[in-house]
Amino acid sequence: MTKSLWTLALVASLAGSVQAQIRTPQASPMATVSQGIGLTKATVEYSRPALKGRKMFGDQVPYGKVWRTGANMATKLTLDDEMSVNGKAVPAGSYALFTIPGQNEWTIILNKNTKAFGAFDYKEAEDVLRFTVKPEKLSTPAEYFTVEFTDFTPTTANLAMRWENVQVKFQLKQDPDAQIMAQIDAEVSKPDAKPGVFSAAANYYYDTNRDLNKARAWADKVVEADKKYWTYFLRGKIAAKQGDCKTARADAEAGLKMAQEAGDDAYIKNHKGILATCK
């Protein structure tokens, strides 16, 4: 190799090395969003393309065809435990979240192939679940494709997807009642069960309108072990619900005084609420 050719090769090599080190923001950056639902968690991993002045649905994203639901790799939904998706039981695991957009109806698809780049390798035979939802029109256009969890309750959340002037969403649900009841049965029967166990069990029975006599017996144990304004409130609210206003008032008056001394406004309000119920 002549000196001039060697020099050109060196320059080309250095130029390629410099170019390889240049980093710019991704056109469709990755995002992850998670939400605790019931006793478990749902997570979505997806890429976020931008409109950049383009018309998307019915044009760049055709109606009636399977869409990767984002950019790059297909969007992935992971369920840490079995959950209900739009009313159907889906086992724990990871699923590709494909969609088929339409003007008046979208098809939501959970598919086994989480390694798919786009929808090129999509196979309907690998679907785990399919259902349809109605799209909603957004009042403010969304520049970037966005996935988020909305409309929370302790056991449900909606998974919402929006882009351009369209939003679609569906419900995820995990009802932990059977798991919680099994935990209660196991924990309260232990000879060394702590007051916190009885407090949690009593609260759950109170909140779910179960056997108030059991809840009251557990609350008695809590108050006997630790006379605090929050333990008096636990027993007082159960007693009030039972119609035992004598106990409810006594606990509320004792708890109110302690809460006022501690400056705990939330519990001051709670105890006053019991006193208002049991006038």
Side-chain angles (χ1 to χ4, degrees):
M1 179 182 290
T2 66
K3 185 176 180 180
S4 60
L5 288 176
W6 182 86
T7 303
L8 286 173
L10 178 61
V11 170
S13 176
L14 290 173
S17 176
V18 171
Q19 186 177 22
Q21 293 176 10
I22 296 174
R23 298 178 65 229
T24 59
Q26 293 181 332
S28 303
M30 283 293 298
T32 301
V33 58
S34 295
Q35 178 62 49
I37 302 171
L39 296 182
T40 189
K41 182 181 70 175
T43 302
V44 178
E45 299 169 72
Y46 71 109
S47 292
R48 303 190 62 188
L51 291 176
K52 296 181 179 178
R54 299 172 294 175
K55 176 172 173 51
M56 204 50 59
F57 298 117
D59 189 349
Q60 297 288 323
V61 177
Y63 290 135
K65 290 188 176 182
V66 177
W67 178 42
R68 72 185 78 188
T69 317
N72 303 323
M73 299 294 290
T75 291
K76 183 168 70 173
L77 170 64
T78 299
L79 309 178
D80 285 3
D81 290 288
E82 179 180 299
M83 297 187 72
S84 168
V85 179
N86 200 53
K88 299 291 183 180
V90 176
S94 293
Y95 305 93
L97 178 56
F98 293 110
T99 52
I100 302 177
Q103 284 183 291
N104 301 310
E105 185 176 83
W106 279 45
T107 299
I108 309 295
I109 303 168
L110 297 190
N111 187 275
K112 294 178 182 176
N113 185 8
T114 60
K115 305 297 184 183
F117 185 87
F120 303 109
D121 296 326
Y122 168 78
K123 294 181 179 64
E124 187 173 343
E126 295 179 317
D127 287 354
V128 174
L129 179 65
R130 268 187 175 228
F131 55 91
T132 59
V133 296
K134 296 294 184 184
E136 304 170 12
K137 187 172 182 179
L138 294 173
S139 56
T140 303
E143 172 66 18
Y144 283 91
F145 176 62
T146 301
V147 178
E148 66 177 353
F149 291 95
T150 65
D151 310 303
F152 314 107
T153 76
T155 58
T156 66
N158 284 337
L159 195 158
M161 299 175 284
R162 64 176 183 272
W163 200 19
E164 200 172 31
N165 60 354
V166 176
Q167 174 176 270
V168 293
K169 59 185 179 180
F170 56 91
Q171 189 186 75
L172 302 178
K173 179 178 182 180
Q174 200 262 342
D175 186 351
D177 185 70
Q179 292 170 268
I180 294 172
M181 289 299 292
Q183 289 181 64
I184 289 173
D185 290 343
E187 294 299 322
V188 299
S189 62
K190 291 179 178 179
D192 59 346
K194 298 292 190 291
V197 168
F198 294 117
S199 178
N203 267 311
Y204 192 71
Y205 267 51
Y206 174 87
D207 289 339
T208 56
N209 296 309
R210 282 183 160 87
D211 188 340
L212 289 179
N213 290 327
K214 271 190 177 182
R216 173 71 175 271
W218 291 328
D220 285 341
K221 291 179 182 289
V222 174
V223 174
E224 288 167 12
D226 197 12
K227 293 178 174 58
K228 296 289 193 302
Y229 57 84
W230 54 86
T231 64
Y232 279 124
F233 175 65
L234 171 66
R235 186 170 66 181
K237 70 179 182 180
I238 293 170
K241 202 169 188 178
Q242 287 179 306
D244 179 5
C245 276
K246 180 179 179 181
T247 300
R249 284 190 61 84
D251 282 351
E253 287 168 355
L256 176 60
K257 182 178 179 181
M258 296 168 73
Q260 287 171 331
E261 290 172 352
D264 193 323
D265 291 338
Y267 273 95
I268 290 172
K269 184 176 181 180
N270 288 341
H271 285 297
K272 285 184 176 180
I274 291 176
L275 292 173
T277 298
C278 285
K279 292 180 179 179

